[in-house]
Amino acid sequence: MAPIITLTAATLIARLAGLLGADPLDDWQASLRIGLAAMFALTGAVHFAPRFRDDMIRMIPPRLPAPAALVALTGVLELAGAAGLLVPATATAAAVCLALLLAAMFPANYSAAKRGIPLAGKPATPLGIRTAEQVLFIALCVLAAL
């Protein structure tokens, strides 16, 4: 739930700043990119937080090699994508790449839901809810890329 709250709050704050005269934030798309950047900065950072990292490693489907390396790689990619969203010259490419990354990471979320793997002591998000969230995040990345 924290990613959705972060995304929503950062987007609305950026949009408010735009309405108050911050020229770079004068439209919803720019504000959405700020919101997505905040969300991916948060989700990317937790890939390295001990409280989350061990559970994320367990989320990786058993058939995939080097789960710890995959968690680190996806964390770095999320952080890089967050930074890319903030640079006008790279924002479109970053948004597209993040949408593709979300699609690529879905098997880990599916696996975690099916195997009941908790995240930081909280139960795994049910598959239906996690799928809806993933579709929403991908759609918002596509919207940010337009």
Side-chain angles (χ1 to χ4, degrees):
M1 193 55 101
I4 290 175
I5 292 168
T6 301
L7 168 66
T8 303
T11 300
L12 292 174
I13 290 167
R15 186 63 190 125
L16 178 60
L19 293 172
L20 294 174
D23 286 339
L25 301 173
D26 61 356
D27 64 36
W28 274 104
Q29 189 178 43
S31 299
L32 175 59
R33 287 178 178 159
I34 297 288
L36 285 167
M39 181 188 82
F40 281 109
L42 171 71
T43 60
V46 300
H47 282 71
F48 303 99
R51 181 172 167 221
F52 291 86
R53 184 169 172 75
D54 290 340
D55 289 338
M56 289 181 145
I57 291 169
R58 283 191 288 279
M59 289 173 68
I60 303 295
R63 68 184 177 278
L64 294 178
L70 289 173
V71 168
L73 175 63
T74 55
V76 167
L77 292 173
E78 287 185 32
L79 292 169
L85 286 169
L86 301 176
V87 178
T90 60
T92 298
V96 169
C97 289
L98 286 166
L100 294 172
L101 179 63
L102 286 168
M105 291 188 314
F106 185 73
N109 293 310
Y110 178 87
S111 176
K114 285 297 197 183
R115 294 184 293 138
I117 296 176
L119 184 59
K122 296 181 181 171
T125 304
L127 184 57
I129 293 170
R130 186 61 191 135
T131 300
E133 288 176 342
Q134 202 86 350
V135 169
L136 172 66
F137 296 151
I138 290 170
L140 292 174
C141 285
V142 170
L143 184 59
L146 297 176

